[in-house]
Amino acid sequence: MPDEIAESLIEEEKYEEAAARLESLLEDHEDPGLRLRLATCCFRAGKLGDALANARRSAEQESEHRADAVMLVAFCLRSLKRYREAAKTYLAYAEEYGREERERARLARFSAALCLEELDDWSGAAKLYREIDDDESLFRLGICLEKSGKPEEAYEVFERFLQRFTDSPERLKVRFRLGALRLRQGRFEEAISHLEEAVRLGEGTFLGEMAEQLLTRARAKSIDTTRKLQRYQ
């Protein structure tokens, strides 16, 4: 049962005072719910090590709070840049709670893949993104393939994204990456086509402005290439 004094302190964002209150209560009797609340207070106070320790203690106990505690353990590990451990914890959560918490399990797998990206484990991250198979994961899959030196596979994934997810907010990013990819490869006309669409989709945004800069470069490169070819005709 929540402690009114601790909850009032949390409401006022007095996290260290709330943590002290919860610690005093836990000295009298162990409670996984209060332990999890203490972990949350420690996290918000910037004490990541204490947050992790308390979240783990809560997760070790069978209670209605265990799922939340496991997720907080993973989040603490990720915040501490202990990415391999974080990925394993996220995946353990998805395995244990996947049936009853499907959307949260999807988020856990996605977070695990992001952790693997931090470790440059592109193949491991790509495997998870393929399993999730929604718009966000397909976009990240393309990035993983691109960064692992597979530009044509990345291009195919991005093209498949555009065909499947016609209303996704990620379409701007996909068009931008397609344009940037073709620009790097010297395929300027294809780059221009994608970047023009990125400029249209990203009007008034930072990414739209970046696309416009790349579009200017692609057009200049295309003109220069055409002129050079004409000299040899």
Side-chain angles (χ1 to χ4, degrees), residues 30-45:
E30 182 59 37
D31 181 286
L34 293 180
R35 181 68 64 183
L36 176 59
R37 207 70 176 124
L38 172 58
T40 302
C41 288
C42 290
F43 186 89
R44 291 179 178 175

Side-chain angles (χ1 to χ4, degrees), residues 183 188 191-192 195 213-223:
L183 178 58
F188 303 123
I192 289 169
L195 291 169
Q213 292 177 23
L214 288 187
L215 178 58
T216 300
R217 190 187 310 172
R219 285 171 173 164
K221 290 282 188 180
S222 178
I223 292 170

Side-chain angles (χ1 to χ4, degrees), residues 25-123:
L25 293 172
L26 287 164
E27 287 177 0
D28 295 331
H29 70 282
E30 182 59 37
D31 181 286
L34 293 180
R35 181 68 64 183
L36 176 59
R37 207 70 176 124
L38 172 58
T40 302
C41 288
C42 290
F43 186 89
R44 291 179 178 175
K47 298 180 178 180
L48 300 182
D50 290 341
L52 175 60
N54 283 291
R56 276 182 165 157
R57 286 190 64 177
S58 179
E60 288 167 357
Q61 304 174 63
E62 288 298 332
S63 75
E64 62 182 316
H65 306 286
R66 186 173 182 279
D68 290 336
V70 173
M71 282 293 277
L72 184 55
V73 168
F75 195 70
C76 288
L77 288 167
R78 184 179 175 185
S79 299
L80 289 164
K81 299 184 178 181
R82 293 163 62 174
Y83 297 118
R84 186 68 65 183
E85 294 172 77
K88 289 180 179 178
T89 306
Y90 279 126
L91 291 176
Y93 175 93
E95 179 68 23
E96 184 171 355
Y97 296 101
R99 290 186 179 180
E100 54 199 80
E101 297 279 354
R102 296 186 66 178
E103 179 54 32
R104 208 173 183 197
R106 186 208 70 84
L107 175 61
R109 287 194 295 272
F110 189 84
S111 298
L114 290 176
C115 289
L116 294 179
E117 282 195 58
E118 293 286 351
L119 297 167
D120 293 345
D121 184 355
W122 308 118
S123 61

